[in-house]
Amino acid sequence: MPSRYHEVYGKSMRDPEAFWAEAAAEIDWIKPWDKVFDPSLGSFGQWFAGAECNTCYNCLDRHVERGRPGQPAIIYDSPITGKSASYTYKEVLARVNALAACLVDKGVTKGDRVIIYMPMIPEALMAMLACARLGAVHSVVFGGFAARELATRIEDAGPKAIVAASCGIEPGRVVAYKPLLDEAIELSAHKPEACFVLQREQAEATLIEGRDHDLGALMGEAMAAGRTVDCVPVKATDPLYILYTSGTTGQPKGVVRDNGGHMVALKWSMKNLYGIEPGEVFWTASDVGWVVGHSYIVYAPLLHGATTLVFEGKPVGTPDAGVFWRVISDHNVVSLFTAPTAFRAIKKEDPEGKLIGDYDLAAFRSLFLAGERADPDTLQWAEDKLGVPVIDHWWQTETGWAIAGNPLGLGLLPIKHGSPSVPMPGYDVQVLDDAGHPVPAGTLGNVVIKLPLPPGCLPTLWQAPERFRSSYLDEFPGYYKTADAGIMDEEGYLFIMARTDDIINVAGHRLSTGAMEEVLASHPDVAECAVVGITDKLKGQTPCGFVVLKAGVDRPTAEIEAELVRIVREKIGPVAAFKLAITVERLPKTRSGKILRATMRQIADGDAFKMPATIDDPGILDEIEDALKERGLAGST
Ligand code: COA
Ligand code: AMP
């Protein structure tokens, strides 16, 4: 059957308001919109202006009221603890009501912010939904960040309450969250009024009298009393959540998501992009701390009446590289969404894919990849071993759903390896040169999206509209800058090649080299530094820091390098995966003093590079290459 993509995409471009109004019919509104799109609001207009709604109602209540009370909403599978559980829509609603009641009892109301600091457990989703129910704005912080990163987010979001777990579990170690939380609150100028802590058996947290509450106990009481909390009507344009993501500095960007447009876009994507029917099991193997988790572990599957799977484990080592196949087979997963890194990890452990044969994958129909570039080798491997379409799609925290993809639900277009395929409805994607002129097909340039952005995308940054404009809108007037460089071919397929800023992508995690440089520069022995992302077979990229020591420092460099590795882990967190600090005599610079980071990266990767015309002293590049070779890099292996 030919794909309906071109017809559907064309309609979204010709008459976006009619297109999105039709999609919005899938959502239950408390009050309909005055305008589908109001160009006079915000920085570039807002979707569904005047409408009122509640995201939690659309995720839970309506399915309980209309035919799905007994269907599993959340399946929890935790190979790292050996636990599993399944909760029906009715059960999730009861728990979300109870959790919302706990928040209300401590004064949380519409518009208040609530930070959620939890691992991959069902309560993380329930806490998000409870906030949505109250019209409170959640901000989930990924567990792999250190106290200082959590503190930055507490200070910026100004939460009334924090919902946390006592610990997360990583292979071989229990990560006690409570000491990190206490330290973060200590560091932050803003103090929350209440902290709710879910005690897990692997690490009991000490609660601070007056401020901290035992979430499990309070929820138990609220459930026993049958407490319910009405869904609070919010404006479609009100914020549902803030999700902090790496920018070019140590100060993360608070990406804001609204309620109405977000629901419309995500609901549309489940059927049309992912090809999922309500009632089916959809598994996103990511973390609720990332945008992929927000959209496709929590909101989209539940808006659609599907079953979502919460997986607390790793693709390898919990217990082996067959765990993804075991989970797919145990729970009749029809579609898996994960980052290519997960597949590189599996392929490394089980290159022949032998473990796949141990499981019945009859229900499994498709694999979606995103979060980083899907290298053709990995994609080909997954296709060969699984025998289902493997679909790369490209998006960002900012957009909340795919900018480009291959719409399984509309009928797949031919897949081109290395390309996340074609723009999704509502996205007018173009490729411009640095002066803002369109480049010919097949030419590398800045990938931009003509304004307005479609529903679901960020309207602004939390309390930073100026930063929103300067980061995304000012450089190419009339366009949103994705900060990705790429190519569009003659057939309209996109190829995303690299970031144009200081962001790197490590195991599908978005990290700021600028933030790491700030940490390195804070070391008393460091005069200057540069962090670049170098190619890593497993994680795609890995950070590599070059440091120049202050004159007169005569301690062993190995000692200082080990300290630098430690402080990045302490200040940013283990997720930064910063393991390589290299002392050099000088950094290569242009005559105007700009550090030549791209050239250093090319040398580290052993790539051919052109000597920058403006380089101050070409001899430094040889020194950099020698330093890298000593570590087995720069093509020496
Ligand atoms: N809480 C605390 N620490 C965490 C954490 C969390 N939620 N998540 C990761 N970390 C730690 C890891 O334990 C590791 O610590 P270590 O340096 O002591 O080993 C460090 O952060 C780096 O983690 P990661 O880069 O994920 O490497 P890894 O070697 O632990 O695992 C993979 C490699 C490929 C198995 C893993 O990255 C993975 O499953 N990736 C899938 C991709 C994904 O989910 N991407 C999310 C966006 S879609
Ligand atoms: P994040 O905001 O964490 O989702 O990271 C977004 C960035 O990850 C994008 O700007 C890209 O640089 C990269 N990215 C995400 N998905 C893809 C993909 N399918 N192909 C290439 N790069 C991707």
Side-chain angles (χ1 to χ4, degrees):
M1 207 181 62
S3 173
R4 289 176 49 229
Y5 165 75
H6 291 290
E7 168 208 329
V8 171
Y9 180 75
K11 189 172 168 199
S12 81
M13 288 292 109
R14 279 191 308 279
D15 193 350
E17 295 197 30
F19 182 89
W20 291 114
E22 193 183 322
E26 295 275 316
I27 298 300
D28 284 16
W29 302 89
I30 297 167
K31 176 178 173 291
W33 50 88
D34 301 325
K35 286 186 176 170
V36 180
F37 181 72
D38 186 341
S40 71
L41 300 177
S43 290
F44 61 85
Q46 289 192 333
W47 292 95
F48 306 107
E52 286 181 7
C53 55
N54 184 282
T55 295
C56 180
Y57 177 83
N58 276 280
C59 287
L60 299 177
D61 302 62
R62 65 169 178 166
H63 302 310
V64 173
E65 290 164 14
R66 299 209 294 265
R68 302 191 182 277
Q71 179 197 308
I74 301 175
I75 295 172
Y76 170 57
D77 190 309
S78 172
I80 207 150
T81 61
K83 294 213 157 61
S84 66
S86 176
Y87 303 85
T88 64
Y89 270 96
K90 196 168 163 212
E91 287 164 343
V92 174
L93 179 58
R95 283 175 161 75
V96 168
N97 262 311
L99 213 158
C102 300
L103 294 174
V104 168
D105 289 348
K106 300 295 171 221
V108 174
T109 56
K110 181 173 166 176
D112 287 339
R113 273 80 57 213
V114 175
I115 290 231
I116 300 172
Y117 188 51
M118 288 180 135
M120 282 294 289
I121 52 177
E123 288 79 2
L125 286 69
M126 292 168 189
M128 293 164 79
L129 292 161
C131 290
R133 191 167 194 84
L134 299 175
V137 181
H138 64 68
S139 186
V140 182
V141 180
F142 178 63
F145 283 122
R148 203 184 71 140
E149 289 288 321
L150 178 56
T152 311
R153 288 154 174 81
I154 295 175
E155 195 147 311
D156 196 68
K160 180 164 257 175
I162 297 184
V163 182
S166 60
C167 65
I169 301 146
E170 284 295 293
R173 72 177 198 278
V174 172
V175 184
Y177 280 13
K178 188 57 180 16
L180 296 172
L181 178 60
D182 290 342
E183 189 188 337
I185 295 174
E186 188 70 34
L187 287 170
S188 163
H190 173 88
K191 313 286 177 198
E193 288 171 28
C195 294
F196 298 88
V197 182
L198 186 85
Q199 298 282 18
R200 304 187 77 193
E201 64 192 47
Q202 293 80 6
E204 180 99 354
T206 313
L207 302 185
I208 295 175
E209 184 78 35
R211 188 197 73 185
D212 298 347
H213 309 280
D214 182 328
L215 180 65
L218 290 183
M219 270 178 78
E221 286 167 24
M223 295 262 298
R227 302 264 312 266
T228 59
V229 178
D230 287 345
C231 289
V232 174
V234 296
K235 289 196 202 119
T237 50
D238 279 343
L240 169 70
Y241 70 76
I242 307 164
L243 179 57
Y244 289 90
T245 189
S246 301
T248 47
T249 66
Q251 178 69 27
K253 294 170 169 168
V255 167
V256 172
R257 192 83 55 217
D258 69 10
N259 277 273
H262 176 243
M263 285 196 278
V264 172
L266 292 193
K267 177 75 173 86
W268 184 92
S269 71
M270 283 302 285
K271 170 111 178 78
N272 297 290
L273 171 54
Y274 297 96
I276 303 296
E277 295 298 332
E280 292 186 323
V281 184
F282 185 68
W283 175 24
T284 298
S286 174
D287 189 286
V288 284
W290 307 117
V291 69
V292 168
H294 278 62
S295 294
Y296 291 102
I297 294 172
V298 190
Y299 289 111
L302 298 179
L303 285 166
H304 198 48
T307 300
T308 189
L309 206 141
V310 173
F311 173 72
E312 191 184 24
K314 301 273 174 180
V316 294
T318 60
D320 58 29
V323 70
F324 271 28
W325 326 130
R326 196 271 296 157
V327 170
I328 290 172
S329 139
D330 277 3
H331 306 294
N332 292 317
V333 170
V334 299
S335 187
L336 168 67
F337 174 179
T338 192
T341 305
F343 267 74
R344 286 197 294 270
I346 294 169
K347 181 174 143 209
K348 192 167 159 224
E349 296 273 303
D350 180 18
E352 306 301 323
K354 288 199 183 104
L355 295 170
I356 300 172
D358 293 349
Y359 300 95
D360 173 9
L361 305 189
F364 188 56
R365 292 200 301 260
S366 56
L367 168 66
F368 284 84
L369 298 175
E372 57 178 320
R373 187 175 149 74
D375 55 289
D377 275 0
T378 304
L379 215 131
Q380 181 74 57
W381 184 87
E383 274 177 353
D384 291 349
K385 303 295 173 217
L386 293 170
V388 298
V390 179
I391 302 167
D392 179 18
H393 58 325
W394 165 64
W395 48 299
Q396 311 181 310
T397 305
E398 288 84 347
T399 63
W401 66 291
I403 309 168
N406 200 330
L408 185 59
L410 296 175
L412 270 189
L413 296 169
I415 289 173
K416 297 189 188 183
H417 286 184
S419 167
S421 302
V422 292
M424 286 296 97
Y427 289 102
D428 183 354
V429 181
Q430 302 188 14
V431 184
L432 306 180
D433 65 18
D434 289 347
H437 305 301
V439 299
T443 310
L444 186 70
N446 300 286
V447 185
V448 297
I449 303 164
K450 193 164 188 306
L451 294 172
L453 295 170
C457 297
L458 82 173
T460 189
L461 293 176
W462 179 249
Q463 289 181 331
E466 263 317 309
R467 188 176 185 199
F468 173 69
R469 280 190 283 274
S470 63
S471 305
Y472 302 107
L473 307 184
D474 285 353
E475 192 169 334
F476 300 103
Y479 296 90
Y480 164 87
K481 178 177 84 166
T482 66
D484 277 312
I487 293 168
M488 193 178 265
D489 74 7
E490 301 278 355
E491 290 174 304
Y493 279 63
L494 267 165
F495 292 79
I496 300 299
M497 308 310 288
R499 291 283 303 195
T500 58
D501 56 14
D502 297 333
I503 303 289
I504 58 170
N505 203 313
V506 181
H509 306 141
R510 171 168 161 178
L511 299 167
S512 160
T513 54
M516 292 186 219
E517 288 179 4
E518 283 176 26
V519 174
L520 297 182
S522 73
H523 189 285
D525 294 341
V526 170
E528 56 178 348
C529 62
V531 175
V532 299
I534 63 176
T535 302
D536 182 88
K537 275 204 184 92
L538 175 65
K539 298 190 180 189
Q541 282 183 303
T542 188
C544 172
F546 296 91
V547 292
V548 177
L549 301 181
K550 285 181 183 159
V553 173
D554 62 359
R555 290 200 295 138
T557 53
E559 202 176 282
I560 298 171
E561 287 165 1
E563 283 169 17
L564 293 170
V565 167
R566 204 186 61 233
I567 59 170
V568 174
R569 190 178 174 94
E570 274 169 16
K571 294 195 174 165
I572 297 181
V575 67
F578 183 83
K579 308 250 155 110
L580 194 58
I582 304 179
T583 311
V584 291
E585 290 295 318
R586 300 170 295 169
L587 293 174
K589 293 184 184 167
T590 62
R591 280 188 284 277
S592 61
K594 198 168 168 288
I595 298 173
L596 290 162
R597 291 182 176 76
T599 312
M600 291 161 81
R601 182 173 43 74
Q602 285 164 325
I603 296 174
D605 289 349
D607 289 348
F609 68 91
K610 232 172 76 196
M611 181 67 72
T614 55
I615 191 163
D616 187 36
D617 177 356
I620 301 179
L621 296 184
D622 295 331
E623 293 172 21
I624 296 283
E625 188 166 358
D626 290 345
L628 283 160
K629 283 196 165 145
E630 266 177 44
R631 313 292 172 112
L633 295 160
S636 61
T637 47

